[in-house]
Amino acid sequence: MTAARARECLLLVHIRKVVGQVHYRICPECAEGVITGVALEERFRDTGLGTRALSHLSSRHPGVSWRSTLNLRATRDLLRRMRVPTTSTAGLCPHTRQPLSPTVPTAL
């Protein structure tokens, strides 16, 4: 698997316990990133943790243009707040258009 197709995961930790995950892919050739999954424990949904996680991704990968393939109501609000456009897989660069694994979470 090339670096352009590598799936990455940002773990969201609270008091040494994983409480959420953001799954994403980065294409260094096109400077595009796609968020493919966001999962967060129910008790942390209105705490701003999702917003901080996406802000962290932006600062961790400067110069990357972010998009998302998520279309669920809970994630749609978060992505709108963070100004991350939602697109179909057809709107992504060819390097990040890999089929998603069924184990990747897609709900917030």
Side-chain angles (χ1 to χ4, degrees), residues 7-67:
R7 294 182 184 158
E8 298 189 50
C9 179
L10 174 67
L11 296 178
L12 311 178
V13 178
H14 178 72
I15 310 175
R16 296 185 305 199
K17 181 180 181 242
V18 175
V19 297
Q21 302 175 11
V22 178
H23 291 265
Y24 62 98
R25 293 185 187 146
I26 300 270
C27 176
E29 294 174 38
C30 301
E32 284 190 14
V34 59
I35 297 168
T36 58
V38 177
L40 189 60
E41 283 186 14
E42 180 84 30
R43 64 189 172 127
F44 291 100
R45 290 198 178 156
D46 292 327
T47 64
L49 188 58
T51 302
R52 288 191 309 237
L54 295 186
S55 292
H56 179 75
L57 276 183
S58 294
S59 66
R60 187 176 181 191
H61 301 284
V64 170
S65 174
W66 289 96
R67 297 179 184 270

Short mmCIF file of all heavy atoms in Angstrom, two decimals, residues 7-67:
data_model
loop_
_atom_site.label_atom_id
_atom_site.label_comp_id
_atom_site.label_asym_id
_atom_site.label_seq_id
_atom_site.Cartn_x
_atom_site.Cartn_y
_atom_site.Cartn_z
N ARG A 7 -4.55 4.49 5.25
CA ARG A 7 -5.61 4.96 6.14
C ARG A 7 -4.97 5.33 7.45
O ARG A 7 -4.09 4.65 7.95
CB ARG A 7 -6.64 3.87 6.36
CG ARG A 7 -7.38 3.55 5.10
CD ARG A 7 -8.41 2.51 5.35
NE ARG A 7 -9.02 2.19 4.08
CZ ARG A 7 -9.66 1.07 3.83
NH1 ARG A 7 -9.77 0.18 4.78
NH2 ARG A 7 -10.19 0.86 2.66
N GLU A 8 -5.43 6.42 8.01
CA GLU A 8 -4.89 6.86 9.29
C GLU A 8 -6.04 7.02 10.27
O GLU A 8 -7.19 7.17 9.88
CB GLU A 8 -4.13 8.17 9.11
CG GLU A 8 -2.94 8.02 8.18
CD GLU A 8 -2.06 9.23 8.17
OE1 GLU A 8 -1.70 9.69 9.26
OE2 GLU A 8 -1.75 9.70 7.08
N CYS A 9 -5.69 7.01 11.54
CA CYS A 9 -6.69 7.13 12.59
C CYS A 9 -6.17 8.04 13.69
O CYS A 9 -5.06 7.85 14.17
CB CYS A 9 -7.00 5.75 13.16
SG CYS A 9 -8.22 5.76 14.48
N LEU A 10 -6.96 9.02 14.07
CA LEU A 10 -6.66 9.89 15.19
C LEU A 10 -7.51 9.42 16.35
O LEU A 10 -8.74 9.40 16.26
CB LEU A 10 -6.99 11.35 14.84
CG LEU A 10 -6.85 12.36 15.97
CD1 LEU A 10 -5.39 12.51 16.36
CD2 LEU A 10 -7.42 13.70 15.54
N LEU A 11 -6.85 8.99 17.42
CA LEU A 11 -7.58 8.52 18.60
C LEU A 11 -7.87 9.69 19.52
O LEU A 11 -7.01 10.54 19.76
CB LEU A 11 -6.75 7.48 19.36
CG LEU A 11 -6.46 6.19 18.61
CD1 LEU A 11 -5.60 5.26 19.47
CD2 LEU A 11 -7.74 5.48 18.20
N LEU A 12 -9.07 9.75 20.05
CA LEU A 12 -9.49 10.79 20.98
C LEU A 12 -9.47 10.17 22.38
O LEU A 12 -10.19 9.21 22.65
CB LEU A 12 -10.88 11.29 20.62
CG LEU A 12 -11.08 11.66 19.15
CD1 LEU A 12 -12.50 12.10 18.89
CD2 LEU A 12 -10.10 12.71 18.72
N VAL A 13 -8.61 10.71 23.23
CA VAL A 13 -8.37 10.10 24.54
C VAL A 13 -8.80 11.06 25.65
O VAL A 13 -8.54 12.25 25.59
CB VAL A 13 -6.87 9.75 24.70
CG1 VAL A 13 -6.58 9.16 26.06
CG2 VAL A 13 -6.43 8.81 23.60
N HIS A 14 -9.46 10.49 26.66
CA HIS A 14 -9.86 11.24 27.85
C HIS A 14 -9.47 10.40 29.06
O HIS A 14 -9.95 9.26 29.22
CB HIS A 14 -11.36 11.51 27.83
CG HIS A 14 -11.86 12.23 29.04
ND1 HIS A 14 -11.59 13.55 29.27
CD2 HIS A 14 -12.60 11.80 30.08
CE1 HIS A 14 -12.16 13.92 30.39
NE2 HIS A 14 -12.77 12.86 30.92
N ILE A 15 -8.61 10.93 29.89
CA ILE A 15 -8.11 10.24 31.09
C ILE A 15 -7.68 8.81 30.75
O ILE A 15 -8.21 7.84 31.27
CB ILE A 15 -9.15 10.26 32.23
CG1 ILE A 15 -9.66 11.67 32.46
CG2 ILE A 15 -8.53 9.69 33.51
CD1 ILE A 15 -10.77 11.76 33.49
N ARG A 16 -6.72 8.70 29.84
CA ARG A 16 -6.10 7.45 29.43
C ARG A 16 -7.07 6.41 28.88
O ARG A 16 -6.82 5.21 28.93
CB ARG A 16 -5.29 6.85 30.58
CG ARG A 16 -4.13 7.73 30.97
CD ARG A 16 -3.28 7.09 32.00
NE ARG A 16 -4.07 6.71 33.17
CZ ARG A 16 -3.58 6.46 34.35
NH1 ARG A 16 -2.29 6.56 34.53
NH2 ARG A 16 -4.35 6.13 35.35
N LYS A 17 -8.22 6.86 28.35
CA LYS A 17 -9.18 5.95 27.76
C LYS A 17 -9.59 6.50 26.40
O LYS A 17 -9.90 7.68 26.27
CB LYS A 17 -10.42 5.82 28.65
CG LYS A 17 -11.44 4.87 28.09
CD LYS A 17 -12.65 4.77 28.98
CE LYS A 17 -13.61 3.77 28.37
NZ LYS A 17 -14.87 4.37 28.03
N VAL A 18 -9.57 5.65 25.38
CA VAL A 18 -10.00 6.06 24.05
C VAL A 18 -11.51 6.24 24.06
O VAL A 18 -12.25 5.32 24.39
CB VAL A 18 -9.58 5.02 22.98
CG1 VAL A 18 -10.13 5.41 21.61
CG2 VAL A 18 -8.07 4.89 22.92
N VAL A 19 -11.97 7.46 23.72
CA VAL A 19 -13.40 7.77 23.73
C VAL A 19 -13.92 8.08 22.33
O VAL A 19 -15.11 8.32 22.15
CB VAL A 19 -13.73 8.94 24.69
CG1 VAL A 19 -13.40 8.56 26.12
CG2 VAL A 19 -13.01 10.20 24.27
N GLY A 20 -13.03 8.06 21.34
CA GLY A 20 -13.46 8.31 19.98
C GLY A 20 -12.32 8.14 19.00
O GLY A 20 -11.17 7.96 19.38
N GLN A 21 -12.69 8.19 17.72
CA GLN A 21 -11.72 8.03 16.64
C GLN A 21 -12.14 8.85 15.43
O GLN A 21 -13.34 8.98 15.17
CB GLN A 21 -11.64 6.57 16.19
CG GLN A 21 -11.28 5.59 17.26
CD GLN A 21 -11.34 4.16 16.74
OE1 GLN A 21 -11.46 3.91 15.56
NE2 GLN A 21 -11.26 3.22 17.66
N VAL A 22 -11.17 9.36 14.71
CA VAL A 22 -11.40 9.99 13.41
C VAL A 22 -10.55 9.22 12.41
O VAL A 22 -9.33 9.16 12.54
CB VAL A 22 -11.01 11.49 13.41
CG1 VAL A 22 -11.22 12.09 12.03
CG2 VAL A 22 -11.79 12.26 14.45
N HIS A 23 -11.21 8.60 11.43
CA HIS A 23 -10.51 7.87 10.38
C HIS A 23 -10.40 8.78 9.16
O HIS A 23 -11.38 9.45 8.80
CB HIS A 23 -11.27 6.60 10.01
CG HIS A 23 -11.23 5.58 11.10
ND1 HIS A 23 -10.31 4.58 11.14
CD2 HIS A 23 -12.00 5.44 12.20
CE1 HIS A 23 -10.51 3.85 12.23
NE2 HIS A 23 -11.53 4.35 12.89
N TYR A 24 -9.23 8.78 8.54
CA TYR A 24 -9.02 9.66 7.40
C TYR A 24 -7.92 9.12 6.50
O TYR A 24 -7.19 8.19 6.87
CB TYR A 24 -8.67 11.07 7.87
CG TYR A 24 -7.39 11.18 8.67
CD1 TYR A 24 -6.21 11.59 8.06
CD2 TYR A 24 -7.36 10.88 10.02
CE1 TYR A 24 -5.03 11.70 8.78
CE2 TYR A 24 -6.19 11.00 10.75
CZ TYR A 24 -5.03 11.40 10.13
OH TYR A 24 -3.87 11.51 10.84
N ARG A 25 -7.84 9.71 5.31
CA ARG A 25 -6.78 9.40 4.36
C ARG A 25 -6.18 10.72 3.88
O ARG A 25 -6.89 11.70 3.74
CB ARG A 25 -7.33 8.66 3.15
CG ARG A 25 -7.83 7.29 3.46
CD ARG A 25 -8.24 6.62 2.18
NE ARG A 25 -8.90 5.37 2.50
CZ ARG A 25 -9.89 4.86 1.82
NH1 ARG A 25 -10.34 5.49 0.77
NH2 ARG A 25 -10.42 3.72 2.17
N ILE A 26 -4.89 10.69 3.60
CA ILE A 26 -4.20 11.87 3.08
C ILE A 26 -3.55 11.47 1.77
O ILE A 26 -2.93 10.41 1.67
CB ILE A 26 -3.09 12.33 4.05
CG1 ILE A 26 -3.66 12.70 5.39
CG2 ILE A 26 -2.27 13.46 3.45
CD1 ILE A 26 -4.08 14.11 5.55
N CYS A 27 -3.66 12.33 0.77
CA CYS A 27 -2.95 12.15 -0.48
C CYS A 27 -1.88 13.24 -0.56
O CYS A 27 -2.22 14.40 -0.82
CB CYS A 27 -3.88 12.24 -1.68
SG CYS A 27 -2.99 12.12 -3.24
N PRO A 28 -0.61 12.90 -0.34
CA PRO A 28 0.44 13.91 -0.39
C PRO A 28 0.65 14.47 -1.79
O PRO A 28 1.07 15.61 -1.94
CB PRO A 28 1.68 13.17 0.10
CG PRO A 28 1.37 11.73 0.05
CD PRO A 28 -0.11 11.58 0.02
N GLU A 29 0.33 13.70 -2.83
CA GLU A 29 0.49 14.18 -4.20
C GLU A 29 -0.49 15.31 -4.53
O GLU A 29 -0.14 16.27 -5.20
CB GLU A 29 0.29 13.04 -5.20
CG GLU A 29 1.35 11.97 -5.11
CD GLU A 29 1.04 10.80 -6.00
OE1 GLU A 29 0.53 11.02 -7.12
OE2 GLU A 29 1.29 9.66 -5.58
N CYS A 30 -1.72 15.19 -4.07
CA CYS A 30 -2.77 16.17 -4.37
C CYS A 30 -3.02 17.14 -3.22
O CYS A 30 -3.83 18.05 -3.37
CB CYS A 30 -4.08 15.44 -4.70
SG CYS A 30 -3.98 14.33 -6.09
N ALA A 31 -2.38 16.94 -2.08
CA ALA A 31 -2.59 17.75 -0.88
C ALA A 31 -4.07 17.77 -0.49
O ALA A 31 -4.63 18.79 -0.14
CB ALA A 31 -2.05 19.16 -1.05
N GLU A 32 -4.70 16.58 -0.56
CA GLU A 32 -6.10 16.42 -0.17
C GLU A 32 -6.21 15.40 0.96
O GLU A 32 -5.48 14.41 0.98
CB GLU A 32 -6.96 15.94 -1.34
CG GLU A 32 -7.26 17.01 -2.34
CD GLU A 32 -8.31 16.56 -3.35
OE1 GLU A 32 -8.99 15.55 -3.13
OE2 GLU A 32 -8.43 17.25 -4.36
N GLY A 33 -7.12 15.67 1.86
CA GLY A 33 -7.43 14.73 2.92
C GLY A 33 -8.91 14.44 2.90
O GLY A 33 -9.71 15.32 2.59
N VAL A 34 -9.28 13.22 3.21
CA VAL A 34 -10.69 12.85 3.26
C VAL A 34 -10.97 12.18 4.61
O VAL A 34 -10.26 11.27 5.02
CB VAL A 34 -11.10 11.95 2.07
CG1 VAL A 34 -10.29 10.68 2.01
CG2 VAL A 34 -12.58 11.64 2.12
N ILE A 35 -11.98 12.68 5.30
CA ILE A 35 -12.42 12.12 6.57
C ILE A 35 -13.43 11.03 6.22
O ILE A 35 -14.46 11.30 5.61
CB ILE A 35 -13.03 13.19 7.47
CG1 ILE A 35 -11.97 14.24 7.81
CG2 ILE A 35 -13.61 12.56 8.74
CD1 ILE A 35 -12.51 15.49 8.45
N THR A 36 -13.12 9.79 6.61
CA THR A 36 -13.96 8.66 6.24
C THR A 36 -14.78 8.11 7.39
O THR A 36 -15.68 7.32 7.17
CB THR A 36 -13.09 7.52 5.66
OG1 THR A 36 -12.11 7.14 6.62
CG2 THR A 36 -12.40 7.97 4.38
N GLY A 37 -14.47 8.53 8.60
CA GLY A 37 -15.24 8.04 9.73
C GLY A 37 -14.98 8.85 10.99
O GLY A 37 -13.85 9.27 11.23
N VAL A 38 -16.03 9.09 11.74
CA VAL A 38 -15.92 9.78 13.02
C VAL A 38 -16.78 9.01 14.01
O VAL A 38 -17.95 8.77 13.75
CB VAL A 38 -16.41 11.25 12.95
CG1 VAL A 38 -16.34 11.90 14.32
CG2 VAL A 38 -15.62 12.04 11.93
N ALA A 39 -16.18 8.61 15.11
CA ALA A 39 -16.91 7.92 16.17
C ALA A 39 -16.53 8.57 17.50
O ALA A 39 -15.37 8.85 17.74
CB ALA A 39 -16.57 6.44 16.19
N LEU A 40 -17.54 8.83 18.32
CA LEU A 40 -17.32 9.48 19.60
C LEU A 40 -18.34 8.95 20.59
O LEU A 40 -19.53 8.83 20.25
CB LEU A 40 -17.47 11.00 19.43
CG LEU A 40 -17.09 11.91 20.56
CD1 LEU A 40 -15.63 11.74 20.95
CD2 LEU A 40 -17.35 13.35 20.18
N GLU A 41 -17.87 8.63 21.79
CA GLU A 41 -18.80 8.14 22.81
C GLU A 41 -19.90 9.17 23.05
O GLU A 41 -19.65 10.38 23.02
CB GLU A 41 -18.06 7.87 24.13
CG GLU A 41 -17.27 6.60 24.12
CD GLU A 41 -16.67 6.29 25.48
OE1 GLU A 41 -17.07 6.90 26.50
OE2 GLU A 41 -15.78 5.43 25.52
N GLU A 42 -21.08 8.69 23.31
CA GLU A 42 -22.27 9.53 23.50
C GLU A 42 -22.04 10.67 24.50
O GLU A 42 -22.40 11.81 24.24
CB GLU A 42 -23.43 8.66 23.97
CG GLU A 42 -24.71 9.41 24.20
CD GLU A 42 -25.52 9.59 22.93
OE1 GLU A 42 -25.43 8.73 22.04
OE2 GLU A 42 -26.23 10.60 22.84
N ARG A 43 -21.42 10.38 25.61
CA ARG A 43 -21.26 11.41 26.65
C ARG A 43 -20.32 12.55 26.26
O ARG A 43 -20.30 13.58 26.90
CB ARG A 43 -20.79 10.77 27.96
CG ARG A 43 -19.43 10.14 27.86
CD ARG A 43 -19.12 9.34 29.11
NE ARG A 43 -17.89 8.59 28.92
CZ ARG A 43 -16.87 8.64 29.74
NH1 ARG A 43 -16.93 9.39 30.83
NH2 ARG A 43 -15.80 7.94 29.51
N PHE A 44 -19.56 12.39 25.17
CA PHE A 44 -18.63 13.43 24.73
C PHE A 44 -19.12 14.19 23.49
O PHE A 44 -18.41 15.02 22.96
CB PHE A 44 -17.25 12.83 24.45
CG PHE A 44 -16.56 12.38 25.68
CD1 PHE A 44 -16.56 11.04 26.04
CD2 PHE A 44 -15.91 13.29 26.51
CE1 PHE A 44 -15.92 10.61 27.19
CE2 PHE A 44 -15.28 12.87 27.67
CZ PHE A 44 -15.29 11.53 28.01
N ARG A 45 -20.32 13.91 23.03
CA ARG A 45 -20.80 14.50 21.77
C ARG A 45 -21.01 16.00 21.81
O ARG A 45 -20.82 16.66 20.82
CB ARG A 45 -22.06 13.79 21.32
CG ARG A 45 -21.74 12.38 20.88
CD ARG A 45 -22.80 11.78 20.06
NE ARG A 45 -22.37 10.45 19.66
CZ ARG A 45 -23.17 9.50 19.32
NH1 ARG A 45 -24.47 9.72 19.31
NH2 ARG A 45 -22.70 8.33 18.99
N ASP A 46 -21.38 16.57 22.91
CA ASP A 46 -21.63 18.01 22.98
C ASP A 46 -20.56 18.75 23.78
O ASP A 46 -20.80 19.81 24.32
CB ASP A 46 -23.01 18.28 23.59
CG ASP A 46 -24.13 17.82 22.68
OD1 ASP A 46 -23.95 17.90 21.45
OD2 ASP A 46 -25.17 17.36 23.19
N THR A 47 -19.36 18.19 23.84
CA THR A 47 -18.30 18.79 24.64
C THR A 47 -17.28 19.56 23.80
O THR A 47 -16.39 20.19 24.37
CB THR A 47 -17.53 17.70 25.42
OG1 THR A 47 -16.89 16.83 24.47
CG2 THR A 47 -18.45 16.91 26.33
N GLY A 48 -17.39 19.51 22.49
CA GLY A 48 -16.42 20.18 21.63
C GLY A 48 -15.23 19.31 21.27
O GLY A 48 -14.31 19.76 20.59
N LEU A 49 -15.23 18.06 21.70
CA LEU A 49 -14.12 17.17 21.42
C LEU A 49 -13.99 16.89 19.92
O LEU A 49 -12.88 16.85 19.38
CB LEU A 49 -14.27 15.86 22.20
CG LEU A 49 -13.09 14.89 22.16
CD1 LEU A 49 -11.82 15.57 22.67
CD2 LEU A 49 -13.39 13.66 22.97
N GLY A 50 -15.10 16.73 19.23
CA GLY A 50 -15.06 16.51 17.78
C GLY A 50 -14.46 17.71 17.05
O GLY A 50 -13.62 17.55 16.15
N THR A 51 -14.84 18.90 17.46
CA THR A 51 -14.29 20.13 16.87
C THR A 51 -12.80 20.23 17.12
O THR A 51 -12.03 20.55 16.21
CB THR A 51 -15.02 21.36 17.46
OG1 THR A 51 -16.41 21.23 17.20
CG2 THR A 51 -14.50 22.64 16.86
N ARG A 52 -12.37 19.94 18.33
CA ARG A 52 -10.94 19.98 18.65
C ARG A 52 -10.17 18.93 17.86
O ARG A 52 -9.04 19.17 17.43
CB ARG A 52 -10.72 19.80 20.15
CG ARG A 52 -11.14 21.01 20.95
CD ARG A 52 -10.68 20.92 22.38
NE ARG A 52 -11.05 19.64 22.97
CZ ARG A 52 -11.78 19.50 24.06
NH1 ARG A 52 -12.20 20.56 24.71
NH2 ARG A 52 -12.07 18.32 24.54
N ALA A 53 -10.78 17.76 17.65
CA ALA A 53 -10.10 16.70 16.88
C ALA A 53 -9.87 17.14 15.44
O ALA A 53 -8.78 16.96 14.90
CB ALA A 53 -10.93 15.42 16.93
N LEU A 54 -10.90 17.74 14.81
CA LEU A 54 -10.73 18.18 13.42
C LEU A 54 -9.77 19.36 13.32
O LEU A 54 -9.01 19.48 12.36
CB LEU A 54 -12.08 18.51 12.80
CG LEU A 54 -13.04 17.32 12.65
CD1 LEU A 54 -14.29 17.74 11.89
CD2 LEU A 54 -12.38 16.14 11.99
N SER A 55 -9.76 20.23 14.32
CA SER A 55 -8.79 21.32 14.36
C SER A 55 -7.37 20.76 14.48
O SER A 55 -6.44 21.27 13.85
CB SER A 55 -9.06 22.25 15.54
OG SER A 55 -10.25 22.95 15.35
N HIS A 56 -7.22 19.72 15.27
CA HIS A 56 -5.92 19.08 15.43
C HIS A 56 -5.44 18.49 14.10
O HIS A 56 -4.27 18.61 13.73
CB HIS A 56 -5.98 18.01 16.50
CG HIS A 56 -4.68 17.29 16.71
ND1 HIS A 56 -3.62 17.86 17.36
CD2 HIS A 56 -4.28 16.06 16.33
CE1 HIS A 56 -2.60 17.01 17.38
NE2 HIS A 56 -2.98 15.91 16.75
N LEU A 57 -6.36 17.85 13.36
CA LEU A 57 -6.00 17.30 12.05
C LEU A 57 -5.50 18.40 11.12
O LEU A 57 -4.51 18.23 10.41
CB LEU A 57 -7.19 16.61 11.40
CG LEU A 57 -7.45 15.17 11.77
CD1 LEU A 57 -8.63 14.64 10.97
CD2 LEU A 57 -6.24 14.30 11.59
N SER A 58 -6.20 19.53 11.11
CA SER A 58 -5.80 20.64 10.25
C SER A 58 -4.42 21.17 10.61
O SER A 58 -3.61 21.47 9.73
CB SER A 58 -6.82 21.78 10.34
OG SER A 58 -8.04 21.36 9.80
N SER A 59 -4.13 21.27 11.90
CA SER A 59 -2.82 21.78 12.30
C SER A 59 -1.72 20.72 12.12
O SER A 59 -0.58 21.05 11.86
CB SER A 59 -2.85 22.27 13.74
OG SER A 59 -3.08 21.21 14.63
N ARG A 60 -2.08 19.46 12.24
CA ARG A 60 -1.12 18.37 12.06
C ARG A 60 -0.72 18.19 10.60
O ARG A 60 0.38 17.74 10.31
CB ARG A 60 -1.76 17.09 12.59
CG ARG A 60 -0.87 15.90 12.63
CD ARG A 60 -1.63 14.76 13.26
NE ARG A 60 -0.80 13.58 13.36
CZ ARG A 60 -1.25 12.40 13.67
NH1 ARG A 60 -2.54 12.22 13.92
NH2 ARG A 60 -0.45 11.38 13.73
N HIS A 61 -1.63 18.55 9.69
CA HIS A 61 -1.38 18.41 8.25
C HIS A 61 -1.64 19.75 7.57
O HIS A 61 -2.64 19.92 6.86
CB HIS A 61 -2.30 17.32 7.67
CG HIS A 61 -2.13 15.98 8.30
ND1 HIS A 61 -1.05 15.16 8.04
CD2 HIS A 61 -2.88 15.31 9.21
CE1 HIS A 61 -1.16 14.05 8.74
NE2 HIS A 61 -2.26 14.12 9.46
N PRO A 62 -0.75 20.73 7.76
CA PRO A 62 -0.98 22.04 7.15
C PRO A 62 -0.92 21.96 5.62
O PRO A 62 -0.17 21.17 5.06
CB PRO A 62 0.18 22.89 7.70
CG PRO A 62 1.22 21.92 8.11
CD PRO A 62 0.50 20.65 8.48
N GLY A 63 -1.73 22.78 4.98
CA GLY A 63 -1.75 22.82 3.52
C GLY A 63 -2.63 21.76 2.88
O GLY A 63 -2.75 21.71 1.66
N VAL A 64 -3.24 20.91 3.68
CA VAL A 64 -4.12 19.86 3.15
C VAL A 64 -5.54 20.41 3.05
O VAL A 64 -6.04 21.02 3.98
CB VAL A 64 -4.08 18.60 4.04
CG1 VAL A 64 -5.15 17.60 3.64
CG2 VAL A 64 -2.71 17.96 3.98
N SER A 65 -6.17 20.19 1.92
CA SER A 65 -7.56 20.57 1.71
C SER A 65 -8.44 19.40 2.14
O SER A 65 -8.34 18.30 1.58
CB SER A 65 -7.78 20.88 0.22
OG SER A 65 -9.13 21.10 -0.04
N TRP A 66 -9.29 19.62 3.14
CA TRP A 66 -10.08 18.54 3.73
C TRP A 66 -11.45 18.43 3.11
O TRP A 66 -12.10 19.42 2.81
CB TRP A 66 -10.22 18.73 5.24
CG TRP A 66 -8.92 18.49 5.94
CD1 TRP A 66 -8.01 19.43 6.31
CD2 TRP A 66 -8.39 17.22 6.31
NE1 TRP A 66 -6.94 18.82 6.91
CE2 TRP A 66 -7.14 17.47 6.91
CE3 TRP A 66 -8.84 15.92 6.19
CZ2 TRP A 66 -6.34 16.45 7.40
CZ3 TRP A 66 -8.04 14.89 6.68
CH2 TRP A 66 -6.81 15.16 7.28
N ARG A 67 -11.91 17.20 2.95
CA ARG A 67 -13.27 16.87 2.52
C ARG A 67 -13.73 15.69 3.35
O ARG A 67 -12.95 15.09 4.08
CB ARG A 67 -13.29 16.47 1.03
CG ARG A 67 -12.88 17.57 0.11
CD ARG A 67 -12.91 17.06 -1.32
NE ARG A 67 -12.43 18.06 -2.23
CZ ARG A 67 -13.19 18.97 -2.82
NH1 ARG A 67 -14.48 19.01 -2.55
NH2 ARG A 67 -12.69 19.84 -3.65
#
